[in-house]
Amino acid sequence: MSDAPAIDPTEPPASTDPTTPGRSPGIARIVSASLIGTTIEWYDFFLYGSAAALVFNTLFFPTADPLVGTLIAFVTYAIGFAARPIGGVVFGHFGDKIGRKKLLVISLLMMGGATFAMGLLPTYDSIGIGAPILLTVLRLVQGFALGGEWGGAVLIVSEHGGDKQRGFWASWPQAGAPGGNLLATGVLALLAAVQSEEDFTAWGWRIPFLLSGVLVLLGLWIRISVSESPVFLAAQAKTQAEAARGIKQKPPVVEVFRRSWREVLTAIGTRFGENISYYVLTAFLLVYVTNHLDLPKSTALNAVLIASAVHFITIPLWGALSDRVGRRPVTLIGSVGMALWAFAFFALLDSKSFAVITFAVTIGLLLHGAMYGPQAAFISEMFDTKVRYSGASMGSQLASIVAGALAPIIAVELLKEYDSATPVALYLSLAAVVTTVTVALARETRGRDLTVSTAAEPTDRPRRETPEPAGSDRV
């Protein structure tokens, strides 16, 4: 039986009209809170990936071969992904039981605290093996927190927004990923520009990690101001009414695997090519440009910086397009395009021209955005409200283990083994093909009424499009 505060099932869900006292704010504020929170959390997560490619190989994992040290650093990077499904299960369970908002606050505090602590860590030269062990533990905390962040952030927006514009609104938290990467890469690029290599390696790398403490306070202040999802409150009221009549409720994660395992597999396949492509285009790129092409760190960092800015702007545009033509067609534009672009991408990098490298990364991230923009609405619409946090989190975070966690490791190992980017391009292309096949076989979800159970929704009739909530005008 739920331990959440009792709710009268006869009461309607909270209004999203921002003019109503004591009610949830308009959709624009909900989106802003989710976007800022996800940007900060992804800043923390990507900061580790960038540092792993640039300095952690020498500071925490010193070896004679720089590529070996980088490979070990990326192994600890992958460990963070391993903790994400656990975080998805835990956060998903309580998010489906007590609400999205509380869990989003907890995930932000955990992520920010772990990142800030990384900035205070002693290095291998100071305490030996204890340094990489502590770094790995903090990476696990990061992964656990991020495993619960994504599902809650996109759901609270999806459930506040209406059926007609859900793709647009839900894509804004997705923009937090390039926003965080933009922020992390920008801070690192600035430090690399104003500091010598020796100063950056000695102490400059700590500044971006310590900056996380300030960012978390900002995000926490904004995130606390939002209201709980009205769709969740209505579902919670129904669950409590059923519990009062003696109907037992199974844990959400059990219900997900019992009734929605196909949707979990679809979510994994949908994220597979998207996840791998993102980490190859950003994290592995830093290794390839600096170690293989022997170019300055600033070349790779500035290329990613410019491309991430374009990525950030265009993700909501892809989300809006999915509201017009469907989630599947837009996703297929990205996955088919990525399967082809993978080979041109590395050929352009080999030019060693900053302008050409920037162009290659920008086109790659544009195609990634076509997969990523509609994804929040697409996956949210696959699951019923009472298991949506658990289902969305499990599907997305299991994909992170088999895709994103291994992508930099596999790419570095392929480069080390063959001394060529061609195997990496083939790996990236095949990953995009997996997503293409998955999405081509999936059911279109655009316009689904999230208050209606999928079991009660015949597949041969159009999905009802409910009116947009008050305050949902685009900004």
Side-chain angles (χ1 to χ4, degrees), residues 82-105:
R84 283 168 66 171
I86 301 173
V89 169
V90 174
F91 279 82
H93 171 81
F94 288 103
D96 284 326
K97 285 286 187 181
I98 65 175
R100 287 57 165 128
K101 176 180 173 178
K102 296 181 180 69
L103 276 298
L104 285 173
V105 170

Side-chain angles (χ1 to χ4, degrees), residues 120-154:
L120 301 175
L121 282 180
T123 62
Y124 188 91
D125 287 343
S126 300
I127 61 171
I129 194 65
I133 290 174
L134 289 172
L135 183 66
T136 303
V137 169
L138 292 174
R139 181 62 177 172
L140 285 169
V141 175
Q142 277 191 331
F144 182 84
L146 193 61
E149 162 68 22
W150 184 84
V154 301

Side-chain angles (χ1 to χ4, degrees), residues 96 248-261 263-264 383-384 386-387 390-391:
D96 284 326
K248 294 183 178 180
Q249 303 292 325
K250 290 183 173 62
V253 69
V254 174
E255 282 292 294
V256 165
F257 285 110
R258 190 166 74 93
R259 296 181 180 274
S260 304
W261 59 269
E263 286 76 14
V264 171
F383 300 94
D384 292 342
K386 66 179 183 179
V387 298
S390 296

Side-chain angles (χ1 to χ4, degrees), residues 16 18 26-29 31 165 168-169 468-475:
T16 53
I27 186 66
R29 186 183 298 180
V31 169
Q165 296 181 347
F168 173 72
W169 291 121
E468 295 294 306
S472 65
D473 292 339
R474 293 191 185 184
V475 290

Side-chain angles (χ1 to χ4, degrees), residues 293-332:
L293 300 181
D294 200 26
L295 295 174
K297 289 184 178 72
S298 58
T299 299
L301 288 170
N302 290 330
V304 173
L305 192 66
I306 294 170
S308 292
V310 176
H311 196 209
F312 178 85
I313 294 169
T314 53
I315 281 178
L317 301 181
W318 288 117
L321 182 61
S322 78
D323 285 326
R324 292 181 175 274
V325 303
R327 319 298 183 212
R328 295 169 65 249
V330 177
T331 304
L332 289 172

Side-chain angles (χ1 to χ4, degrees), residues 5 44 100 121 123 127 187 215 223 249 268 380 426 451 459:
D44 292 345
R100 287 57 165 128
L121 282 180
T123 62
I127 61 171
V187 172
L215 296 176
R223 186 161 278 187
Q249 303 292 325
I268 292 173
S380 297
L426 182 61
T451 65
T459 59

Side-chain angles (χ1 to χ4, degrees), residues 162-188:
D163 301 338
K164 291 182 179 180
Q165 296 181 347
R166 184 177 298 119
F168 173 72
W169 291 121
S171 66
W172 279 101
Q174 298 288 80
N181 199 19
L182 183 66
L183 190 58
T185 306
V187 172
L188 288 170

